[in-house]
Amino acid sequence: MHKRALFKRISIGLVLTTAALAALVYGIGPAVLSEYREDLVYLGQQHLYLVGVSMALALAVGLPSGIFLSRSSVKRYAEHGMQVFNIGNTLPPMAVLALAMVVVGIGDKPAIVALFLASLLPIVRNTFVGLSGLSPALIEAANALGMTPMQRLWRVELPNALPVILSGVRIALAINVGTVPLAFLIGASSYGELIFPGIYLNNHVALLLGALGTALIALVLDLLVASLGKLMSPRGVA
């Protein structure tokens, strides 16, 4: 039943994605898509590169930080520590990008730094909430079995907190993908190269293609993370 439900969910997602692509081709026209094909492919790759690198960094920092803050010895200071990771969300995205540009320069590097900061908080907070919200009886049962703290973390806590953690990852991913087009303003290639010139030049086709490309990436990545959660979750919830 679990595999069947997962297959059904993936199938629905693929059908919706295919329908969106078909509507795009029909609405804009094959000739126009052919004209922008190279731009769409190249900018899509750059968009995914910025998302991939910044999200990998956010996960590498956010997951261990959330685990650390959920430990009983430091849990009382968790909310204070959480403010450190909130820096990318308290400031507007443009302000974060501008500050990163001042410190790092222009191009991909400041964009990755800004996207990394913007993606941190949902990952840290949901990891903390997922682990802190586990039933005390579950922890006591693991201790009664003689598990070490590390064994308990990997075999009991993380698998049961996975649905909440993945919810945070999906939120961070949505923020990340939606912020990437702004990186065009500091010299990083993405679908922003279609969106912003489309606005300035009143080119509705370029604007639409950039926006739809960004939305399509967000939908596909969210579907992949949700499907991964279904496979990995012991309760089949993502």
Side-chain angles (χ1 to χ4, degrees), residues 2 13 20 23 31 52 67 89 99 101 103 107 142 221 227:
H2 174 63
I67 292 170
N89 299 89
L99 290 172
M101 182 181 67
V103 175
L221 291 180
S227 300

Side-chain angles (χ1 to χ4, degrees), residues 51-69:
V51 172
V53 174
S54 58
M55 279 298 296
L57 292 172
L59 288 169
V61 174
L63 291 175
S65 299
I67 292 170
F68 174 73
L69 292 173

Side-chain angles (χ1 to χ4, degrees), residues 101-168:
M101 182 181 67
V102 170
V103 175
V104 184
I106 62 172
D108 290 350
K109 288 184 178 179
I112 289 170
V113 170
L115 293 167
F116 160 74
L117 293 174
S119 305
L120 264 180
L121 183 64
I123 296 172
V124 176
R125 182 170 290 282
N126 276 51
T127 301
F128 169 76
V129 170
L131 293 171
S132 299
L134 294 177
S135 169
L138 192 66
I139 306 301
E140 291 174 7
N143 292 334
L145 291 172
M147 290 186 180
T148 64
M150 191 60 66
Q151 288 174 329
R152 186 185 69 203
L153 174 66
W154 284 101
R155 297 182 183 181
V156 177
E157 295 183 60
L158 286 175
N160 283 279
L162 187 63
V164 179
I165 294 173
L166 284 180
S167 294

Side-chain angles (χ1 to χ4, degrees), residues 31-224:
V32 175
L33 285 177
S34 178
E35 177 186 348
Y36 282 91
R37 182 180 59 189
E38 290 186 6
D39 288 337
L40 289 171
V41 172
Y42 171 73
L43 295 177
Q45 291 173 343
Q46 291 299 112
H47 203 114
L48 286 170
Y49 168 74
L50 294 177
V51 172
V53 174
S54 58
M55 279 298 296
L57 292 172
L59 288 169
V61 174
L63 291 175
S65 299
I67 292 170
F68 174 73
L69 292 173
S70 70
R71 302 303 89 183
S72 56
S73 58
V74 296
K75 191 180 291 187
R76 71 183 72 175
Y77 308 111
E79 284 303 320
H80 298 290
M82 211 74 70
Q83 298 309 311
V84 176
F85 302 101
N86 197 26
I87 184 171
N89 299 89
T90 53
L91 299 174
M94 278 306 304
V96 178
L97 286 167
L99 290 172
M101 182 181 67
V102 170
V103 175
V104 184
I106 62 172
D108 290 350
K109 288 184 178 179
I112 289 170
V113 170
L115 293 167
F116 160 74
L117 293 174
S119 305
L120 264 180
L121 183 64
I123 296 172
V124 176
R125 182 170 290 282
N126 276 51
T127 301
F128 169 76
V129 170
L131 293 171
S132 299
L134 294 177
S135 169
L138 192 66
I139 306 301
E140 291 174 7
N143 292 334
L145 291 172
M147 290 186 180
T148 64
M150 191 60 66
Q151 288 174 329
R152 186 185 69 203
L153 174 66
W154 284 101
R155 297 182 183 181
V156 177
E157 295 183 60
L158 286 175
N160 283 279
L162 187 63
V164 179
I165 294 173
L166 284 180
S167 294
V169 173
R170 292 170 70 179
I171 293 170
L173 195 57
I175 294 171
N176 192 305
V177 174
T179 306
V180 168
L182 294 174
F184 162 76
L185 300 175
I186 59 171
S189 295
S190 69
Y191 279 132
E193 287 192 25
L194 293 175
I195 294 173
F196 286 98
I199 294 173
Y200 301 147
L201 302 175
N202 201 29
N203 185 340
H204 293 161
V205 173
L207 171 60
L208 182 61
L209 287 173
L212 288 176
T214 302
L216 186 61
I217 287 177
L219 287 172
V220 171
L221 291 180
D222 185 71
L223 177 63
L224 289 175

